[in-house]
Amino acid sequence: MNIFPLIGAGLIAAMISLVLKQYKPEFGMYISLITGIIILIVIMKQASPVIETIEELIAAVSLDVVYGAALLKALAICYITQLASDTCKDSGETAIAAKIEMGGKLAIVLVSLPLFKGIADTVTNLINI
């Protein structure tokens, strides 16, 4: 993955945002949000080797598909939550950013519940043996 075009796009967008904030503050936020979404889309498109490698590792170890799906969902939740939180912080809404981060953490716990259930079942089976 070539990171330099992403860095360049981010720096250019930051400069445009700073200039626009002087005249129309709301346009600066829009530029930041749109740039963040575009960068996230580009990164997600280039993440397919990571996803394929995780799927191969899970298949090689003979783990249930639930574990890989939970891992990938948790990663997606982390990235999307971070983007939304940072965007809110950039616009001065730190309280909303904190609530988004809390929601992201709760979403990860919810995605992880099948894993916790599997661990509890394994421990229960070991105790009963």
Side-chain angles (χ1 to χ4, degrees):
M1 179 177 163
N2 191 359
I3 195 72
F4 295 112
L6 293 177
I7 292 171
L11 290 175
I12 291 169
M15 286 187 277
I16 292 171
S17 177
L18 282 173
V19 170
L20 286 176
K21 281 183 182 179
Q22 295 173 357
Y23 305 104
K24 295 277 189 175
E26 63 274 5
F27 287 156
M29 186 189 71
Y30 295 145
I31 294 292
S32 296
L33 181 61
I34 291 169
T35 303
I37 291 171
I38 290 171
I39 289 174
L40 183 64
I41 290 170
V42 169
I43 290 171
M44 294 308 289
K45 284 183 180 179
Q46 295 181 357
S48 61
V50 173
I51 294 169
E52 291 171 3
T53 303
I54 291 171
E55 289 174 348
E56 289 173 9
L57 290 172
I58 289 172
V61 181
S62 300
L63 286 176
D64 194 4
V65 178
V66 173
Y67 298 114
L71 174 64
L72 293 175
K73 286 179 185 177
L75 284 172
I77 290 168
C78 287
Y79 288 128
I80 292 169
T81 302
Q82 187 70 45
L83 173 68
S85 174
D86 288 345
T87 302
C88 289
K89 287 177 184 175
D90 288 344
S91 66
E93 298 294 336
T94 55
I96 295 173
K99 304 314 182 274
I100 289 173
E101 290 173 0
M102 189 184 328
K105 292 172 186 175
L106 178 62
I108 290 173
V109 169
L110 291 173
V111 165
S112 302
L113 283 179
L115 303 178
F116 293 140
K117 185 180 181 318
I119 292 169
D121 290 344
T122 302
V123 169
T124 303
N125 289 338
L126 288 173
I127 291 173
N128 292 334
I129 293 179

